[in-house]
Amino acid sequence: MGLLLIAAYASLAAWLWLTLAQGMFWRTDVRLPPRTAPARWPSVAIVVPARDEAEVLPRSLPSLLAQDYPGAAEVVLVDDGSTDDTAALARKLAAEHPGLPLTVVSPGEPAPGWTGKLWALRHGIDHARTCRAAEPEYLLLTDADIAHAPDSLRELVCAATSARLDLVSQMARLRVASGWERLVVPAFVYFFAQLYPFRRINRPGGRTAAAAGGCVLLRTEVAVRAGVPDSIRQAVIDDVSLARAVRASGGRIWLGLAERAESVRPYPALGDLWRMVSRSAYAQLRHRPLLLAGTVAGLVLVYLVPPIAFVAGLAGGRSAVAWAGGLAWLLMAGTYLPMLRHYGQPAVLAPSLPFTALLYLLMTVDSAVQHHRGRGAAWKGRTYARPGDA
């Protein structure tokens, strides 16, 4: 039996397992759970870390100020050392769009051992908890590039109180406008769901834990109990670390796709998307070369072998190779179709997933190379060491 035939059969087996046994990761119907309005609306502080966000803030901050929420709520924007007048623009927008009260705080540069975003979240949460007569019962942690529908906060709170959830997170709909965004963005969410199947995360008592950092509603009492953000202060992939800390403390978590939150940050060129992925890809692998090697081998086997086997089998008259590769490729494309529909993209893009996976493989390798050159996890002028080196 030839090596390519063995690889094709192995890839087909992998796709059968992924399709049938990986928590139905490919489905896109995981939305906010059934919910009703609470008898009493809890107080909420919306904490927004922002570093050099003047470009996107006019499209995101007004949506937070305009939240139609029946209870007490406020917005705390944390200016994380911006150089583009983010703080001044936030105050200007609040004056032009009256709604929820806005406070802007500036904590200064992160202390050693802290990532910038978590340092900003720490100060925003501390301000929300200590600068009012009573601390908020919930915290909405949302990125500065996320725009929310007017009922977003209300529906998040309804879901949390109805299902007795301590953390409710939604994967905001990312922008898909340029050609590269169409090719890369739906696959980004698809790969994330494959790695962290939403149904497994949402299963009470489950072991899988993850969140989407752009939109996280967190019960304050549980945040204190889990010691966040202090307990995860070095995390580059802070949303997954946050969910793990909450689950480890006994909290109930939920993650799904958003219907009322979307990112307004553009990634028009491949380089923009490359930096978004590569800045944290090697951190996801815990900076371990063996995990990197295994990931590269896995991506080749699962995503690249099927089209290679299909084409080579047809060209060489090896029907078994072509059938195995073709069936694996068909399963791959079929499981990708729901995500393409979710993003309003044509089904013709489904067979291109191997090419997109190759791009992600190269981004992951580049992430490791940049890390070993001392430029790993770089974002907006900051570079973070791995936790053991911090």
Side-chain angles (χ1 to χ4, degrees):
M1 186 179 292
L3 182 60
L4 185 57
L5 180 59
I6 294 173
Y9 278 152
S11 184
L12 177 58
W15 275 107
L16 287 170
W17 181 84
L18 286 168
T19 303
L20 301 175
Q22 185 61 357
M24 292 188 288
F25 76 93
W26 41 270
R27 294 183 59 171
T28 57
D29 57 350
V30 182
R31 309 300 169 91
L32 284 176
R35 55 206 179 274
T36 58
R40 182 188 63 83
W41 290 93
S43 56
V44 183
I46 304 172
V47 181
V48 187
R51 177 173 171 82
D52 292 339
E53 298 288 12
E55 179 184 0
V56 298
L57 217 55
R59 287 171 286 169
S60 60
L61 184 58
S63 74
L64 292 173
L65 300 173
Q67 285 301 296
D68 179 17
Y69 185 67
E74 65 171 328
V75 180
V76 180
L77 185 136
V78 188
D79 178 27
D80 181 21
S82 299
T83 59
D84 65 353
D85 295 325
T86 288
L89 176 59
R91 295 186 181 97
K92 180 174 180 290
L93 290 169
E96 295 174 349
H97 301 273
L100 297 184
L102 171 73
T103 302
V104 178
V105 297
S106 301
E109 286 298 302
W114 283 82
T115 64
K117 179 179 177 180
L118 290 172
W119 180 251
L121 284 176
R122 181 197 189 198
H123 283 267
I125 293 171
D126 285 350
H127 177 89
R129 293 183 61 207
T130 60
C131 293
R132 295 292 183 271
E135 71 176 24
E137 295 165 83
Y138 284 89
L139 303 162
L140 175 59
L141 313 179
T142 184
D143 288 347
D145 65 331
I146 304 298
H148 291 257
D151 61 347
S152 175
L153 177 59
R154 186 172 69 241
E155 294 301 320
L156 286 167
V157 170
C158 286
T161 55
S162 297
R164 298 183 179 179
L165 298 166
D166 300 302
L167 183 153
V168 179
S169 180
Q170 291 186 297
M171 176 73 72
R173 185 183 293 269
L174 303 177
R175 179 182 182 270
V176 176
S178 70
W180 285 113
E181 287 171 337
R182 293 187 178 94
L183 188 67
V184 174
V185 167
F188 176 83
V189 183
Y190 173 88
F191 293 145
F192 183 92
Q194 188 179 83
L195 189 60
Y196 303 105
F198 295 166
R199 281 175 169 78
R200 289 186 179 175
I201 292 169
N202 301 341
R203 186 184 304 156
R207 299 178 60 184
T208 305
C215 179
V216 177
L217 183 72
L218 177 62
R219 196 152 62 92
T220 306
E221 177 186 342
V222 174
V224 174
R225 187 173 72 209
V228 294
D230 296 58
S231 62
I232 59 170
R233 61 186 177 276
Q234 295 179 333
V236 174
I237 307 175
D238 50 86
D239 43 14
V240 174
S241 298
L242 172 63
R244 287 173 176 167
V246 170
R247 172 151 279 174
S249 73
R252 294 188 59 191
I253 67 175
W254 185 94
L255 172 63
L257 294 173
E259 297 174 296
R260 298 172 175 83
E262 62 179 18
S263 173
V264 297
R265 189 184 304 283
Y267 293 97
L270 177 59
D272 303 311
L273 291 160
W274 194 289
R275 284 186 291 274
M276 178 191 74
V277 175
S278 65
R279 70 185 176 96
S280 60
Y282 197 41
Q284 180 71 55
L285 301 176
R286 293 175 283 178
H287 306 100
R288 295 183 180 178
L290 285 178
L291 284 179
L292 173 65
T295 298
V296 170
L299 286 171
V300 170
L301 176 67
V302 174
Y303 288 100
L304 303 188
V305 164
I308 292 172
F310 179 68
V311 173
L314 288 180
R318 303 169 65 184
S319 59
V321 173
W323 273 105
L327 285 174
W329 198 0
L330 184 63
L331 285 172
M332 182 195 315
T335 59
Y336 190 37
L337 279 173
M339 190 60 69
L340 287 174
R341 284 197 295 266
H342 175 67
Y343 274 95
Q345 300 306 304
V348 70
L349 288 176
S352 70
L353 188 57
F355 175 71
T356 306
L358 175 61
L359 289 177
Y360 275 88
L361 186 156
L362 296 175
M363 293 173 189
T364 302
V365 172
D366 180 60
S367 178
V369 170
Q370 296 305 320
H371 170 80
H372 288 291
R373 289 178 175 176
R375 299 196 296 268
W379 188 247
K380 294 189 177 181
R382 289 185 180 138
T383 300
Y384 301 111
R386 61 183 177 184
D389 298 337

